[in-house]
Amino acid sequence: MTLPSYPTAPSPQTLPPRAPKPNGDRRVLLLVIGAATLLGLLMVFGVVGLLTIAYLTQDRVPSGVSVAGVEIGGDTAEQAAAALGQVAANQAITATDGDRQWTVTLRDLGISVDTQATLQAALEAGRGSTVQPIYTIDLNQTQLGLIALSEQVNIAAVPSDPPQMGRAVEIPVILDRLRTDVNGELADGVLDLTMIEVAPPEPEPVSQQNYSGPSVTHVVESGQELALIARQYGVTMDDIVTLNNLENPDFIFVGQELLIPAAGEYTPSAEDIPAAPTSSGKSIVVSTQDQRIYAYENGQLVRTHLVSTGRDATPTVLGDYQIYVKYVADDMQGADYFLPQVPYTMYFYQGYGIHGTYWHNSFGRPMSHGCVNLPVDEAEWFFNWASVGTTVRVI
């Protein structure tokens, strides 16, 4: 049997060797690195450019601008704010009473610079401008500063012939002026003090040249004068002068010890005490003539002290009233005054009240706008003793 024949497969041919290919991976890598470097440089230049633009375009105070003598022209807002923070700490103003002058710092008067408001005014100012600081005020600190200043400013009244009028800082009016427009009041760096004329008490004759009776020591307080001390103890001024060998009765100083020819503070005799308004319960009498307040319980006198009632232009109302509200501290305001945190206030008719007084120590003469002024410690006693509904008679 003959088998069929099949064609044989061709034998594989030997191929020539390939030519080497260019290194494509390395070229791509170089391109990537170059692009990244270029991008990085562009980003760096971009950031620097942005920072430069931001620096050149940020808020800056126009050149030549100053605030209260402090040059802030060309400063950034942040730099200017830091400089303004030091203005009030170092700034002083001049307080005046006619030709008399005193230097006082804004810090002592409770006044500070509103940094943000002043900075905004500086940013909006023209080149070379002088910007007035915009102030804020703490009235409680202001009143303390004015009280301290009044110790230098006040002039005691002298009961001489002819009488020498005294002068006193009218703190309530100045407080109200500053509260209303502190920036306007201090625009020129000067605070014109509002003053009141203080009339001296009439001279009293010497009643005793040689005193051998009881005595008490009185320590002179700020704002006190000899005539009022004499009235406090119910003696004459000449009695005190004689007993203490004072060469000049017009010159006494805070802390001075005076020997008073009396057993203690003056208590009126029975015939001088006004009648109690009621025979039961508690009641109060205020005498505008004697400048005294009297406290009664069941018709009997339990306490009395000198007060200051309203001046002639602003008299204290007369009549029978009742305490209708009490405040441990209350802000008081009138047409020409503002008094923050008046202590131990008891209102008995509209805005008329009995209260403590921190702005003067001249009890025994009319000094108020109509209220009944007491030393703070005495006002506290009356405040704790009297209740709402207590009768107040003003004569």
Side-chain angles (χ1 to χ4, degrees):
M1 179 176 179
T2 302
L3 295 175
S5 61
Y6 296 94
T8 58
S11 60
Q13 298 180 355
T14 303
L15 298 177
R18 294 181 180 179
K21 291 183 177 181
N23 193 344
D25 291 343
R26 183 178 179 187
R27 183 168 56 186
V28 170
L29 179 61
L30 291 174
L31 288 173
V32 170
I33 293 174
T37 302
L38 180 60
L39 181 61
L41 290 173
L42 290 174
M43 290 180 63
V44 169
F45 286 125
V47 170
V48 171
L50 290 174
L51 290 176
T52 302
I53 293 171
Y55 177 79
L56 294 175
T57 59
Q58 66 181 318
D59 285 342
R60 285 181 173 273
V61 179
S63 62
V65 171
S66 64
V67 178
V70 177
E71 295 287 343
I72 59 173
D75 287 354
T76 64
E78 184 178 353
Q79 292 169 335
L84 291 175
Q86 301 300 316
V87 170
N90 302 320
Q91 190 176 0
I93 61 168
T94 302
T96 64
D97 172 32
D99 295 334
R100 301 191 301 154
Q101 297 183 349
W102 301 265
T103 299
V104 58
T105 65
L106 291 183
R107 176 179 288 178
D108 288 342
L109 290 179
I111 299 170
S112 57
V113 173
D114 186 332
T115 302
Q116 291 304 314
T118 305
L119 174 59
Q120 188 61 40
L123 290 170
E124 297 172 357
R127 292 171 178 264
S129 300
T130 298
V131 176
Q132 169 68 20
I134 298 174
Y135 298 112
T136 59
I137 186 168
D138 177 351
L139 288 169
N140 287 317
Q141 179 59 40
T142 305
Q143 75 183 14
L144 295 177
L146 289 173
I147 291 171
L149 179 62
S150 68
E151 295 182 2
Q152 305 176 52
V153 175
N154 289 356
I155 300 174
V158 179
S160 55
D161 188 17
Q164 176 182 312
M165 297 293 288
R167 291 178 65 76
V169 178
E170 192 160 23
I171 294 175
V173 175
I174 299 175
L175 282 174
D176 194 55
R177 285 167 47 199
L178 292 172
R179 177 189 66 87
T180 303
D181 185 14
V182 62
N183 295 306
E185 290 290 342
L186 303 179
D188 58 356
V190 175
L191 176 62
D192 294 321
L193 300 175
T194 302
M195 307 292 292
I196 55 174
E197 297 286 333
V198 180
E202 296 183 1
E204 300 181 43
V206 177
S207 61
Q208 295 176 328
Q209 292 293 337
N210 299 302
Y211 183 77
S212 59
S215 63
V216 64
T217 299
H218 176 87
V219 179
V220 178
E221 299 177 6
S222 175
Q224 288 188 325
E225 54 192 73
L226 203 58
L228 293 180
I229 294 173
R231 188 167 188 175
Q232 180 177 341
Y233 290 94
V235 300
T236 69
M237 190 172 69
D238 289 326
D239 289 340
I240 300 176
V241 170
T242 301
L243 193 59
N244 292 272
N245 297 317
L246 298 179
E247 295 183 2
N248 185 353
D250 301 327
F251 178 72
I252 57 175
F253 54 88
V254 175
Q256 182 178 6
E257 294 186 356
L258 296 175
L259 198 61
I260 309 298
E265 292 195 18
Y266 168 69
T267 300
S269 59
E271 58 270 19
D272 295 330
I273 298 173
T278 63
S279 58
S280 62
K282 297 178 179 180
S283 59
I284 293 172
V285 171
V286 176
S287 172
T288 57
Q289 179 178 354
D290 297 335
Q291 292 294 293
R292 274 195 170 273
I293 189 171
Y294 303 86
Y296 303 88
E297 195 156 0
N298 299 324
Q300 300 298 312
L301 181 69
V302 295
R303 198 176 188 94
T304 180
H305 200 277
L306 288 175
V307 297
S308 289
T309 59
R311 301 195 298 264
D312 290 343
T314 54
T316 304
V317 292
L318 306 181
D320 286 352
Y321 309 96
Q322 289 184 329
I323 295 171
Y324 67 86
V325 70
K326 297 168 58 176
Y327 298 105
V328 174
D330 188 36
D331 293 344
M332 290 187 175
Q333 181 176 348
D336 59 351
Y337 69 92
F338 176 76
L339 293 166
Q341 298 297 288
V342 176
Y344 305 114
T345 299
M346 302 187 293
Y347 289 105
F348 58 84
Y349 175 71
Q350 295 182 359
Y352 294 85
I354 301 168
H355 59 72
T357 305
Y358 53 71
W359 54 92
H360 77 79
N361 199 25
S362 297
F363 304 103
R365 68 157 60 98
M367 289 287 290
S368 80
H369 287 81
C371 286
V372 179
N373 293 179
L374 273 167
V376 173
D377 57 344
E378 284 295 320
E380 182 180 11
W381 185 92
F382 276 86
F383 186 90
N384 292 331
W385 175 80
S387 58
V388 171
T390 298
T391 296
V392 177
R393 173 173 291 174
V394 185
I395 59 176

